Amino acid sequence: MGATMATGRLVALDVARTVALIGMASFHFVYDLVLFGHLPPETVQFGFWALFARLIAGSFLFLAGVGLWLAHADGIRWPGFWRRLGKVVAAAALITLATYAVMPQNFVFFGILHSIAFASLIGLAVLRLPVGAIVGLVLAVVAIRVWGQSELFDISLLRWTGLGTIRPSSMDFVPPVPWLAPFLAGIAMAKLGSRVGFWAWLATVAQGPVWQKLAVPGRHSLVIYLVHQPVLIALVYAATWLMRGA
């Protein structure tokens, strides 16, 4: 089954990415409404939307872990791995530079793309471990998050780890601890799925034109991630200007 995924895309996985993209855009729309003063700041800081943001971030990392296993189950395809990693790293650097230019006091230095790039390297190292060992690593990451925080990691050079006691000021902070956990969980679940034939079954079920259309955004998730927020900000800005002008 790994070979099948290595030579072709699993449509259902792209559809899952599409759902995650819709959730991400929904949250960022609400975030932009807060940014322009249409909603109070606590709207995205607490309650439903704060929890929703974590759920979306976790889903992207989980799906990235699933995708890593499906792409390399039968052997690591080094050219494809480095090509994809290069794109993610370049996009992450672009996000850092763009947010620093606009909001230097709150720029993204370790966001979701940085986290996916870092997790991909770690995931590659543990890809051949038994499922039980990977689940153990998931639990270890969670345990470190709960009991391993220290003021030693509050210095600027180590804040990216997520082990500090103070949350850095950033528009999007997705550090390895604890966000490596859902990525590793995705690998573990994907390996279990291969063992029981789940992916082969899913490939036969998720077929047809409707599935293909729903999968289109998921196939271009990186591009959509990069462009959706500038578009949303422009739309909210334009609507705000029109309302205030009226």
Side-chain angles (χ1 to χ4, degrees), residues 1-6 10 65-74 127-128 131 186-202:
M1 186 57 198
T4 302
M5 293 302 101
L10 183 62
V66 171
L68 185 70
W69 168 254
L70 293 180
H72 305 286
D74 291 340
L127 204 60
R128 304 301 167 190
V131 170
I187 294 177
M189 292 297 293
K191 294 188 74 167
L192 282 175
S194 293
R195 186 178 299 174
V196 300
F198 174 74
W199 305 115
W201 171 81
L202 191 59

mmCIF file of all heavy atoms in Angstrom, residues 1-6 10 65-74 127-128 131 186-202:
data_model
loop_
_atom_site.group_PDB
_atom_site.id
_atom_site.type_symbol
_atom_site.label_atom_id
_atom_site.label_comp_id
_atom_site.label_asym_id
_atom_site.label_seq_id
_atom_site.Cartn_x
_atom_site.Cartn_y
_atom_site.Cartn_z
ATOM 1 N N MET A 1 0.831 -1.207 0.000
ATOM 2 C CA MET A 1 0.000 0.000 0.000
ATOM 3 C C MET A 1 0.866 1.257 0.000
ATOM 4 O O MET A 1 0.512 2.278 -0.549
ATOM 5 C CB MET A 1 -0.926 -0.011 1.224
ATOM 6 C CG MET A 1 -1.927 1.138 1.203
ATOM 7 S SD MET A 1 -2.909 1.099 -0.286
ATOM 8 C CE MET A 1 -3.531 2.747 -0.316
ATOM 9 N N GLY A 2 2.030 1.183 0.655
ATOM 10 C CA GLY A 2 2.925 2.330 0.657
ATOM 11 C C GLY A 2 3.328 2.717 -0.743
ATOM 12 O O GLY A 2 3.437 3.889 -1.084
ATOM 13 N N ALA A 3 3.571 1.706 -1.600
ATOM 14 C CA ALA A 3 3.978 2.003 -2.963
ATOM 15 C C ALA A 3 2.891 2.727 -3.714
ATOM 16 O O ALA A 3 3.143 3.623 -4.508
ATOM 17 C CB ALA A 3 4.359 0.704 -3.678
ATOM 18 N N THR A 4 1.660 2.346 -3.453
ATOM 19 C CA THR A 4 0.547 3.026 -4.110
ATOM 20 C C THR A 4 0.507 4.501 -3.736
ATOM 21 O O THR A 4 0.330 5.373 -4.571
ATOM 22 C CB THR A 4 -0.795 2.374 -3.716
ATOM 23 O OG1 THR A 4 -0.740 1.007 -4.083
ATOM 24 C CG2 THR A 4 -1.946 3.019 -4.405
ATOM 25 N N MET A 5 0.712 4.777 -2.476
ATOM 26 C CA MET A 5 0.685 6.165 -2.041
ATOM 27 C C MET A 5 1.903 6.937 -2.528
ATOM 28 O O MET A 5 1.855 8.137 -2.717
ATOM 29 C CB MET A 5 0.608 6.243 -0.517
ATOM 30 C CG MET A 5 -0.708 5.733 0.047
ATOM 31 S SD MET A 5 -2.146 6.620 -0.592
ATOM 32 C CE MET A 5 -2.748 5.500 -1.828
ATOM 33 N N ALA A 6 3.013 6.225 -2.721
ATOM 34 C CA ALA A 6 4.221 6.901 -3.185
ATOM 35 C C ALA A 6 4.098 7.335 -4.625
ATOM 36 O O ALA A 6 4.734 8.280 -5.064
ATOM 37 C CB ALA A 6 5.427 5.979 -3.015
ATOM 38 N N LEU A 10 -3.550 10.134 -2.308
ATOM 39 C CA LEU A 10 -4.744 9.603 -1.683
ATOM 40 C C LEU A 10 -5.758 10.739 -1.613
ATOM 41 O O LEU A 10 -5.566 11.717 -0.882
ATOM 42 C CB LEU A 10 -4.420 9.077 -0.284
ATOM 43 C CG LEU A 10 -5.569 8.417 0.485
ATOM 44 C CD1 LEU A 10 -6.064 7.181 -0.252
ATOM 45 C CD2 LEU A 10 -5.112 8.045 1.892
ATOM 46 N N GLY A 65 1.902 14.197 9.381
ATOM 47 C CA GLY A 65 2.488 12.936 9.822
ATOM 48 C C GLY A 65 1.963 11.760 9.032
ATOM 49 O O GLY A 65 2.728 10.872 8.622
ATOM 50 N N VAL A 66 0.653 11.748 8.795
ATOM 51 C CA VAL A 66 0.058 10.690 7.960
ATOM 52 C C VAL A 66 0.683 10.713 6.569
ATOM 53 O O VAL A 66 1.074 9.680 6.016
ATOM 54 C CB VAL A 66 -1.469 10.871 7.869
ATOM 55 C CG1 VAL A 66 -2.061 9.906 6.835
ATOM 56 C CG2 VAL A 66 -2.116 10.643 9.224
ATOM 57 N N GLY A 67 0.770 11.905 5.991
ATOM 58 C CA GLY A 67 1.321 12.031 4.644
ATOM 59 C C GLY A 67 2.767 11.586 4.556
ATOM 60 O O GLY A 67 3.187 11.001 3.546
ATOM 61 N N LEU A 68 3.556 11.855 5.601
ATOM 62 C CA LEU A 68 4.962 11.441 5.589
ATOM 63 C C LEU A 68 5.076 9.926 5.502
ATOM 64 O O LEU A 68 5.889 9.397 4.734
ATOM 65 C CB LEU A 68 5.669 11.953 6.849
ATOM 66 C CG LEU A 68 7.171 11.682 6.904
ATOM 67 C CD1 LEU A 68 7.904 12.532 5.871
ATOM 68 C CD2 LEU A 68 7.724 11.962 8.303
ATOM 69 N N TRP A 69 4.262 9.224 6.283
ATOM 70 C CA TRP A 69 4.312 7.760 6.233
ATOM 71 C C TRP A 69 3.827 7.234 4.884
ATOM 72 O O TRP A 69 4.456 6.368 4.288
ATOM 73 C CB TRP A 69 3.469 7.154 7.355
ATOM 74 C CG TRP A 69 3.274 5.672 7.163
ATOM 75 C CD1 TRP A 69 2.137 5.029 6.761
ATOM 76 C CD2 TRP A 69 4.269 4.656 7.308
ATOM 77 N NE1 TRP A 69 2.351 3.679 6.658
ATOM 78 C CE2 TRP A 69 3.658 3.418 6.986
ATOM 79 C CE3 TRP A 69 5.612 4.661 7.666
ATOM 80 C CZ2 TRP A 69 4.344 2.202 7.031
ATOM 81 C CZ3 TRP A 69 6.303 3.453 7.713
ATOM 82 C CH2 TRP A 69 5.672 2.247 7.395
ATOM 83 N N LEU A 70 2.724 7.746 4.384
ATOM 84 C CA LEU A 70 2.187 7.244 3.120
ATOM 85 C C LEU A 70 3.158 7.476 1.963
ATOM 86 O O LEU A 70 3.225 6.677 1.031
ATOM 87 C CB LEU A 70 0.846 7.914 2.818
ATOM 88 C CG LEU A 70 -0.308 7.561 3.763
ATOM 89 C CD1 LEU A 70 -1.581 8.283 3.354
ATOM 90 C CD2 LEU A 70 -0.550 6.053 3.794
ATOM 91 N N ALA A 71 3.907 8.567 2.012
ATOM 92 C CA ALA A 71 4.841 8.880 0.932
ATOM 93 C C ALA A 71 6.105 8.031 0.986
ATOM 94 O O ALA A 71 6.734 7.789 -0.059
ATOM 95 C CB ALA A 71 5.212 10.360 0.976
ATOM 96 N N HIS A 72 6.474 7.575 2.190
ATOM 97 C CA HIS A 72 7.770 6.905 2.332
ATOM 98 C C HIS A 72 7.667 5.545 3.006
ATOM 99 O O HIS A 72 8.664 5.028 3.511
ATOM 100 C CB HIS A 72 8.716 7.804 3.134
ATOM 101 C CG HIS A 72 8.864 9.182 2.559
ATOM 102 N ND1 HIS A 72 9.586 9.442 1.414
ATOM 103 C CD2 HIS A 72 8.356 10.375 2.971
ATOM 104 C CE1 HIS A 72 9.535 10.741 1.148
ATOM 105 N NE2 HIS A 72 8.785 11.322 2.073
ATOM 106 N N ALA A 73 6.489 4.953 2.992
ATOM 107 C CA ALA A 73 6.287 3.671 3.674
ATOM 108 C C ALA A 73 7.169 2.563 3.104
ATOM 109 O O ALA A 73 7.661 1.705 3.837
ATOM 110 C CB ALA A 73 4.816 3.264 3.597
ATOM 111 N N ASP A 74 7.369 2.568 1.808
ATOM 112 C CA ASP A 74 8.145 1.508 1.166
ATOM 113 C C ASP A 74 9.604 1.889 0.945
ATOM 114 O O ASP A 74 10.319 1.219 0.197
ATOM 115 C CB ASP A 74 7.510 1.138 -0.177
ATOM 116 C CG ASP A 74 6.174 0.434 0.005
ATOM 117 O OD1 ASP A 74 5.927 -0.086 1.109
ATOM 118 O OD2 ASP A 74 5.387 0.431 -0.944
ATOM 119 N N LEU A 127 10.556 7.073 11.585
ATOM 120 C CA LEU A 127 9.564 6.477 10.699
ATOM 121 C C LEU A 127 9.528 4.954 10.776
ATOM 122 O O LEU A 127 8.472 4.345 10.643
ATOM 123 C CB LEU A 127 9.837 6.919 9.259
ATOM 124 C CG LEU A 127 8.668 6.895 8.274
ATOM 125 C CD1 LEU A 127 7.547 7.802 8.738
ATOM 126 C CD2 LEU A 127 9.135 7.307 6.878
ATOM 127 N N ARG A 128 10.679 4.315 10.990
ATOM 128 C CA ARG A 128 10.757 2.851 10.996
ATOM 129 C C ARG A 128 10.609 2.252 12.386
ATOM 130 O O ARG A 128 10.699 1.028 12.532
ATOM 131 C CB ARG A 128 12.093 2.401 10.384
ATOM 132 C CG ARG A 128 12.344 2.936 8.989
ATOM 133 C CD ARG A 128 11.263 2.525 8.027
ATOM 134 N NE ARG A 128 11.336 3.275 6.770
ATOM 135 C CZ ARG A 128 10.411 3.249 5.837
ATOM 136 N NH1 ARG A 128 9.322 2.515 5.995
ATOM 137 N NH2 ARG A 128 10.542 3.974 4.737
ATOM 138 N N VAL A 131 5.134 0.938 16.089
ATOM 139 C CA VAL A 131 4.047 1.852 16.439
ATOM 140 C C VAL A 131 4.039 2.154 17.928
ATOM 141 O O VAL A 131 3.861 3.303 18.352
ATOM 142 C CB VAL A 131 2.688 1.264 16.006
ATOM 143 C CG1 VAL A 131 1.535 2.086 16.575
ATOM 144 C CG2 VAL A 131 2.596 1.211 14.491
ATOM 145 N N GLY A 186 0.139 11.134 13.979
ATOM 146 C CA GLY A 186 -0.258 10.884 12.595
ATOM 147 C C GLY A 186 0.551 9.761 11.975
ATOM 148 O O GLY A 186 0.003 8.914 11.246
ATOM 149 N N ILE A 187 1.849 9.730 12.245
ATOM 150 C CA ILE A 187 2.683 8.641 11.734
ATOM 151 C C ILE A 187 2.221 7.300 12.309
ATOM 152 O O ILE A 187 2.074 6.307 11.578
ATOM 153 C CB ILE A 187 4.167 8.880 12.079
ATOM 154 C CG1 ILE A 187 4.696 10.111 11.350
ATOM 155 C CG2 ILE A 187 5.006 7.656 11.724
ATOM 156 C CD1 ILE A 187 6.133 10.457 11.694
ATOM 157 N N ALA A 188 2.009 7.272 13.623
ATOM 158 C CA ALA A 188 1.584 6.030 14.271
ATOM 159 C C ALA A 188 0.258 5.531 13.717
ATOM 160 O O ALA A 188 0.103 4.337 13.399
ATOM 161 C CB ALA A 188 1.487 6.247 15.783
ATOM 162 N N MET A 189 -0.715 6.432 13.560
ATOM 163 C CA MET A 189 -2.019 6.044 13.032
ATOM 164 C C MET A 189 -1.912 5.594 11.589
ATOM 165 O O MET A 189 -2.597 4.652 11.161
ATOM 166 C CB MET A 189 -2.994 7.209 13.161
ATOM 167 C CG MET A 189 -3.366 7.558 14.593
ATOM 168 S SD MET A 189 -4.240 6.212 15.435
ATOM 169 C CE MET A 189 -5.771 6.180 14.502
ATOM 170 N N ALA A 190 -1.058 6.245 10.815
ATOM 171 C CA ALA A 190 -0.887 5.863 9.412
ATOM 172 C C ALA A 190 -0.278 4.471 9.300
ATOM 173 O O ALA A 190 -0.669 3.670 8.433
ATOM 174 C CB ALA A 190 -0.016 6.892 8.693
ATOM 175 N N LYS A 191 0.691 4.168 10.165
ATOM 176 C CA LYS A 191 1.308 2.844 10.147
ATOM 177 C C LYS A 191 0.291 1.768 10.523
ATOM 178 O O LYS A 191 0.255 0.695 9.906
ATOM 179 C CB LYS A 191 2.506 2.801 11.092
ATOM 180 C CG LYS A 191 3.659 3.697 10.670
ATOM 181 C CD LYS A 191 4.902 3.493 11.523
ATOM 182 C CE LYS A 191 5.589 2.189 11.161
ATOM 183 N NZ LYS A 191 6.948 2.109 11.737
ATOM 184 N N LEU A 192 -0.531 2.068 11.505
ATOM 185 C CA LEU A 192 -1.593 1.125 11.866
ATOM 186 C C LEU A 192 -2.567 0.938 10.714
ATOM 187 O O LEU A 192 -3.019 -0.183 10.432
ATOM 188 C CB LEU A 192 -2.336 1.626 13.104
ATOM 189 C CG LEU A 192 -1.676 1.418 14.461
ATOM 190 C CD1 LEU A 192 -2.496 2.089 15.554
ATOM 191 C CD2 LEU A 192 -1.512 -0.066 14.747
ATOM 192 N N GLY A 193 -2.894 2.040 10.031
ATOM 193 C CA GLY A 193 -3.791 1.957 8.890
ATOM 194 C C GLY A 193 -3.245 1.074 7.790
ATOM 195 O O GLY A 193 -3.988 0.301 7.159
ATOM 196 N N SER A 194 -1.937 1.176 7.535
ATOM 197 C CA SER A 194 -1.317 0.317 6.523
ATOM 198 C C SER A 194 -1.375 -1.143 6.947
ATOM 199 O O SER A 194 -1.590 -2.031 6.117
ATOM 200 C CB SER A 194 0.143 0.740 6.313
ATOM 201 O OG SER A 194 0.230 2.013 5.727
ATOM 202 N N ARG A 195 -1.194 -1.385 8.225
ATOM 203 C CA ARG A 195 -1.173 -2.759 8.731
ATOM 204 C C ARG A 195 -2.525 -3.452 8.550
ATOM 205 O O ARG A 195 -2.580 -4.649 8.254
ATOM 206 C CB ARG A 195 -0.780 -2.744 10.214
ATOM 207 C CG ARG A 195 -0.586 -4.105 10.842
ATOM 208 C CD ARG A 195 -0.149 -3.970 12.285
ATOM 209 N NE ARG A 195 1.119 -3.255 12.400
ATOM 210 C CZ ARG A 195 1.655 -2.906 13.572
ATOM 211 N NH1 ARG A 195 1.018 -3.170 14.699
ATOM 212 N NH2 ARG A 195 2.816 -2.267 13.590
ATOM 213 N N VAL A 196 -3.615 -2.695 8.700
ATOM 214 C CA VAL A 196 -4.947 -3.304 8.617
ATOM 215 C C VAL A 196 -5.588 -3.085 7.250
ATOM 216 O O VAL A 196 -6.754 -3.455 7.050
ATOM 217 C CB VAL A 196 -5.858 -2.763 9.729
ATOM 218 C CG1 VAL A 196 -5.279 -3.066 11.093
ATOM 219 C CG2 VAL A 196 -6.101 -1.260 9.572
ATOM 220 N N GLY A 197 -4.878 -2.477 6.312
ATOM 221 C CA GLY A 197 -5.416 -2.268 4.970
ATOM 222 C C GLY A 197 -6.382 -1.103 4.848
ATOM 223 O O GLY A 197 -7.137 -1.017 3.872
ATOM 224 N N PHE A 198 -6.348 -0.180 5.822
ATOM 225 C CA PHE A 198 -7.301 0.930 5.813
ATOM 226 C C PHE A 198 -7.106 1.848 4.618
ATOM 227 O O PHE A 198 -8.082 2.293 4.001
ATOM 228 C CB PHE A 198 -7.159 1.736 7.115
ATOM 229 C CG PHE A 198 -7.986 2.985 7.142
ATOM 230 C CD1 PHE A 198 -9.361 2.918 7.313
ATOM 231 C CD2 PHE A 198 -7.400 4.234 6.986
ATOM 232 C CE1 PHE A 198 -10.131 4.077 7.341
ATOM 233 C CE2 PHE A 198 -8.155 5.391 7.018
ATOM 234 C CZ PHE A 198 -9.528 5.317 7.191
ATOM 235 N N TRP A 199 -5.848 2.144 4.261
ATOM 236 C CA TRP A 199 -5.588 3.090 3.174
ATOM 237 C C TRP A 199 -5.996 2.521 1.830
ATOM 238 O O TRP A 199 -6.496 3.249 0.965
ATOM 239 C CB TRP A 199 -4.127 3.509 3.174
ATOM 240 C CG TRP A 199 -3.694 4.066 4.491
ATOM 241 C CD1 TRP A 199 -2.778 3.543 5.355
ATOM 242 C CD2 TRP A 199 -4.198 5.243 5.127
ATOM 243 N NE1 TRP A 199 -2.675 4.316 6.480
ATOM 244 C CE2 TRP A 199 -3.527 5.363 6.371
ATOM 245 C CE3 TRP A 199 -5.139 6.202 4.769
ATOM 246 C CZ2 TRP A 199 -3.777 6.419 7.250
ATOM 247 C CZ3 TRP A 199 -5.393 7.249 5.648
ATOM 248 C CH2 TRP A 199 -4.721 7.355 6.859
ATOM 249 N N ALA A 200 -5.797 1.202 1.651
ATOM 250 C CA ALA A 200 -6.241 0.563 0.411
ATOM 251 C C ALA A 200 -7.762 0.632 0.292
ATOM 252 O O ALA A 200 -8.309 0.908 -0.788
ATOM 253 C CB ALA A 200 -5.769 -0.887 0.383
ATOM 254 N N TRP A 201 -8.440 0.395 1.409
ATOM 255 C CA TRP A 201 -9.905 0.487 1.410
ATOM 256 C C TRP A 201 -10.352 1.912 1.132
ATOM 257 O O TRP A 201 -11.257 2.149 0.325
ATOM 258 C CB TRP A 201 -10.440 0.019 2.753
ATOM 259 C CG TRP A 201 -11.905 0.283 2.928
ATOM 260 C CD1 TRP A 201 -12.948 -0.460 2.437
ATOM 261 C CD2 TRP A 201 -12.489 1.394 3.626
ATOM 262 N NE1 TRP A 201 -14.156 0.123 2.783
ATOM 263 C CE2 TRP A 201 -13.902 1.256 3.518
ATOM 264 C CE3 TRP A 201 -11.968 2.466 4.333
ATOM 265 C CZ2 TRP A 201 -14.769 2.170 4.090
ATOM 266 C CZ3 TRP A 201 -12.839 3.381 4.906
ATOM 267 C CH2 TRP A 201 -14.220 3.226 4.789
ATOM 268 N N LEU A 202 -9.706 2.881 1.774
ATOM 269 C CA LEU A 202 -10.107 4.273 1.615
ATOM 270 C C LEU A 202 -9.889 4.756 0.190
ATOM 271 O O LEU A 202 -10.679 5.556 -0.341
ATOM 272 C CB LEU A 202 -9.314 5.152 2.594
ATOM 273 C CG LEU A 202 -9.780 6.607 2.754
ATOM 274 C CD1 LEU A 202 -11.222 6.662 3.236
ATOM 275 C CD2 LEU A 202 -8.866 7.344 3.723
#
